[in-house]
Amino acid sequence: MNIDRYPEIRPGKKVFKKAYAFVVLLVVGRGIEAADRVDGEVKDIVRGLPEGFTFSLGVAPSGPWMVIRKEKSGKLRYLGWRRFGKTIELDMAIRNIEAAFRIFTFRESTAQAHNNGRFSVNGNLPNALAIMRIMDIAEIYLLPKIIATLAVKRYPDRRELPPGRKHFNRLRIYLRAFSPGLFRVVYRNL
Amino acid sequence: MQTLEYEFIAHPRILYGDCSLEEIPAELAENDACKPLVIASREAVRRKLGKTLIRAFYDSGCIIGGIYDEVRDYAGISLALNAAQLFRKRGCDAFIALGDRAAADIARAANILVSHKTDTLLPFFNGETPSRRLMPFIFVPTCCTGASAAGRTLFIDNRRLHSDYYFPDVVVTDRRMSLPCSARCAAESAILAMDNALWSIIDDNQSPMKNAFAHAALKLIGDNLSGFLKRPRDGKRALPIANAGVLASIAAANARPGIVRVLGEELEKETSIPAAVFIANLTPAALFCIQKNESPLPGDLLLAAAGMDAYAAVPTEQLGRRGAEAIIEMFESAANEIPEAAISRIPAHLLAEACNNAASREMVNFGADDAMAVLEMARQEMPWQTHDNGERK
């Protein structure tokens, strides 16, 4: 049998989808860091996490990733997209880039994605659920309501999150997320 | 109260839904594999399903050892030997079967050859069972009755081997793969799935697990069959039918083979007409024979096909009859899409030979006379095809 008739195949890459996932993770990562400084509920959740707690969220097997750590000061800090040299205590990975693209284009909420088995979690489950709640809150601030309702499990009503407070916090989060600190993170990761 | 004694095995992990094809690399990684050999049917490659499979591996870090696409309708040992040779030379560590039953059987046979480091299946044909776990085996059923091959039977060179090791590790039913190529193919897929589910339920060895699988399969088919037959290319209908095929084949793998399936397979061997054609024509006759012998039919399970409302509207004592009627109706609606098997035109000696071969198969609980009675019934004007006043339905 001539085995050359059946060549070995090296599958290609989905460059656009990876680039899109990279940008979303960068914005969400910075958004989570900013939400921790602005929103009281996020602060309460972060208070329950152990000091030095580091988690990563990304797309298996080859990224992109976002890495966030709870500093000694008790605040969350976005460390960028490189996982090398960091002790990851909670590793949350979306199982493939197609699933990540579905989640990041808001065709599937994070809760629904968990339900569909799109995530693999390596670490403490209560901490993973806490991180999911933080991500939901960050997405509520970062995204317009019409999109955020698709992305989160339940969008808070006007009593839980009054529009004035929401828009004021949203402005603060955007300013913090895209402050010069962003360039610091990018520079450190390059 | 009757005490149940049963055993049930459902080895495959079933991946179903959107993006399930992209889960394959992760499943391979969980099985410590990263370089699969794809055994694909010619038809699947012609429909560019091979390319779709390759795209699912993008960004996965896996290399595909090759796509062996020589499989047509028949699974022969020479193909399995070639596939095993390719597997060894490329240093692969898993099999992916893409296509119908023949592709799955070639992958199973090649898997035995490489796992046992041998070049012959003769010991296995002589009754030996696999002595070690086989390489990871992922099955991606495509159209043309593919989903019905998710069981524990290896059918190669007209010989049947059974072992729990032959179950696929993962069965992937994906919208992009499971679309049938024609209305006839859709009908055949549905008939095989219904037959597997039906005879798992009728089987003497009752097991709640088997019933659960078969019941779920019948429910899926009952909900989607009419829409599926009208629009076979509608993914929303095709995917549940493919899923039903997988569930029914797992249930059937834990049951004795039914008289209709065995007869259909033997007649296929004799006449080269697909088994599904015979199954569609013989099932009503077989059900009528069962009812005539006053054997109780589990109508509550069979009525899953008609839905909850129909079940609720039927008195308890009529459940068996109405369940059989609902099943026959489904078989007949599917049979409209395939040519009629003119059993009366098949020479009597071939029918007799098929009956004898069917009765001599392993694990069957019927004789050649029973098989012939079903064939005779199928050749007559069916009593269920006429109203009580004698008019044809």
Side-chain angles (χ1 to χ4, degrees), chain A residues 1 3-15 18 60-62 95-99 102 108 116-118, chain B residues 18-19 22-23 26-27 30 35 54-55 57-60 62-70 82 85-86 89-90:
Chain A
M1 185 186 64
I3 67 165
D4 295 334
R5 282 182 63 193
Y6 317 103
E8 212 169 71
I9 297 163
R10 291 176 185 275
K13 294 193 180 301
K14 295 182 176 171
V15 178
K18 279 190 93 163
S62 56
R95 285 166 69 98
N96 56 65
I97 188 70
E98 280 300 322
R102 284 182 78 83
E108 214 167 75
N116 291 347
R118 307 244 187 262
Chain B
D18 295 324
C19 295
E22 280 77 13
E23 294 278 318
E27 292 298 328
E30 283 176 17
K35 191 174 183 183
I54 292 168
R55 272 200 294 277
F57 276 80
Y58 277 22
D59 277 313
S60 66
C62 291
I63 299 171
I64 296 174
I67 296 186
Y68 183 71
D69 59 353
E70 299 294 336
N82 285 345
Q85 189 187 354
L86 183 62
K89 288 206 171 162
R90 287 279 156 73

Side-chain angles (χ1 to χ4, degrees), chain A residues 29-39 172-174 176-177:
Chain A
R30 288 289 296 170
I32 288 174
E33 183 182 326
D36 180 34
R37 282 151 178 83
V38 169
D39 186 88
R172 290 167 68 197
I173 285 173
Y174 267 109
R176 278 184 179 274

Side-chain angles (χ1 to χ4, degrees), chain A residues 1-176:
Chain A
M1 185 186 64
N2 179 14
I3 67 165
D4 295 334
R5 282 182 63 193
Y6 317 103
E8 212 169 71
I9 297 163
R10 291 176 185 275
K13 294 193 180 301
K14 295 182 176 171
V15 178
F16 169 74
K17 287 180 179 173
K18 279 190 93 163
Y20 178 79
F22 175 83
V23 171
V24 170
L25 287 170
L26 180 71
V27 172
V28 170
R30 288 289 296 170
I32 288 174
E33 183 182 326
D36 180 34
R37 282 151 178 83
V38 169
D39 186 88
E41 196 181 339
V42 176
K43 281 180 191 168
D44 287 344
I45 297 170
V46 171
R47 207 173 293 137
L49 297 173
E51 191 185 305
F53 173 77
T54 309
F55 77 91
S56 75
L57 170 69
V59 186
S62 56
W65 303 97
M66 77 172 183
V67 184
I68 294 181
R69 185 171 65 208
K70 184 180 174 184
E71 300 283 20
K72 281 181 185 168
S73 59
K75 301 284 180 197
L76 290 182
R77 180 169 286 277
Y78 173 64
L79 300 179
W81 55 87
R82 290 197 189 279
R83 302 203 307 167
F84 310 114
K86 299 178 180 93
T87 309
I88 308 287
E89 285 160 62
L90 175 68
D91 181 10
M92 297 167 70
I94 304 171
R95 285 166 69 98
N96 56 65
I97 188 70
E98 280 300 322
F101 197 67
R102 284 182 78 83
I103 296 164
F104 294 152
T105 49
F106 314 111
R107 281 185 283 167
E108 214 167 75
S109 70
T110 42
Q112 186 63 44
H114 267 281
N115 190 35
N116 291 347
R118 307 244 187 262
F119 281 87
S120 64
V121 177
N122 191 359
N124 187 333
L125 196 58
N127 288 347
L129 296 175
I131 297 302
M132 295 313 294
R133 286 205 301 279
I134 292 173
M135 275 179 60
D136 274 4
I137 296 168
E139 282 173 358
I140 286 165
Y141 284 122
L142 287 170
L143 301 169
K145 183 177 178 181
I146 194 166
I147 297 174
T149 44
L150 302 173
V152 301
K153 192 175 177 184
R154 188 180 66 84
Y155 198 85
D157 59 25
R158 297 170 77 89
R159 276 175 300 161
E160 288 172 282
L161 187 62
R165 200 173 91 204
K166 180 172 76 177
H167 292 305
F168 181 59
N169 282 354
R170 177 175 288 166
L171 185 66
R172 290 167 68 197
I173 285 173
Y174 267 109
L175 286 173
R176 278 184 179 274

Side-chain angles (χ1 to χ4, degrees), chain B residues 97-338:
Chain B
L98 172 69
D100 54 8
R101 171 171 280 285
D105 285 336
I106 295 293
R108 282 188 183 105
N111 201 347
I112 297 172
L113 295 173
V114 297
S115 301
H116 288 76
K117 296 183 179 131
T118 175
D119 284 326
T120 176
L121 285 176
L122 211 56
F124 300 97
F125 288 147
N126 292 333
E128 197 175 299
T129 51
S131 55
R132 65 182 71 174
R133 192 150 159 50
L134 306 184
M135 296 279 183
F137 169 34
I138 295 177
F139 180 35
V140 186
T142 60
C143 72
C144 305
T145 70
S148 300
R152 56 191 279 278
T153 304
L154 163 60
F155 183 57
I156 190 156
D157 271 347
N158 281 329
R159 295 182 196 215
R160 264 163 230 285
L161 306 175
H162 304 278
S163 168
D164 293 343
Y165 287 102
Y166 301 154
F167 269 119
D169 293 296
V170 183
V171 180
V172 182
T173 42
D174 188 280
R175 188 187 295 246
R176 290 159 284 179
M177 296 293 184
S178 300
L179 291 181
C181 54
S182 63
R184 178 178 172 165
C185 161
E188 285 187 15
S189 306
I191 286 167
L192 287 182
M194 282 191 287
D195 177 68
N196 279 336
L198 172 66
W199 293 98
S200 314
I201 287 174
I202 294 177
D203 184 34
D204 298 338
N205 299 330
Q206 285 300 310
S207 125
M209 292 300 296
K210 192 176 60 186
N211 286 349
F213 272 67
H215 181 269
L218 276 184
K219 179 88 177 66
L220 281 170
I221 296 169
D223 290 346
N224 295 286
L225 184 66
S226 60
F228 177 58
L229 292 173
K230 273 183 210 152
R231 296 176 60 196
R233 302 284 297 168
D234 179 3
K236 281 183 188 166
R237 303 283 183 185
L239 204 53
I241 297 286
N243 195 26
V246 175
L247 294 176
S249 67
I250 292 171
N254 287 278
R256 277 194 204 141
I259 185 169
V260 172
R261 177 154 46 110
V262 176
L263 256 180
E265 285 167 355
E266 293 300 333
L267 284 169
E268 180 183 18
K269 218 189 286 177
E270 302 288 347
T271 62
S272 301
I273 298 171
V277 177
F278 293 109
I279 289 171
N281 285 275
L282 294 179
T283 301
L287 284 177
F288 186 74
C289 282
I290 291 174
Q291 283 180 305
K292 210 171 72 172
N293 295 341
E294 295 184 351
S295 306
L297 281 172
D300 49 343
L301 293 170
L302 299 181
L303 264 175
M308 190 55 79
D309 291 341
Y311 176 75
V314 174
T316 316
E317 63 273 13
Q318 292 181 14
L319 279 175
R321 187 172 64 82
R322 296 295 290 275
E325 283 172 5
I327 292 287
I328 289 172
E329 206 172 296
M330 279 166 50
F331 268 98
E332 285 181 344
S333 68
N336 289 336
E337 302 293 332
I338 56 177

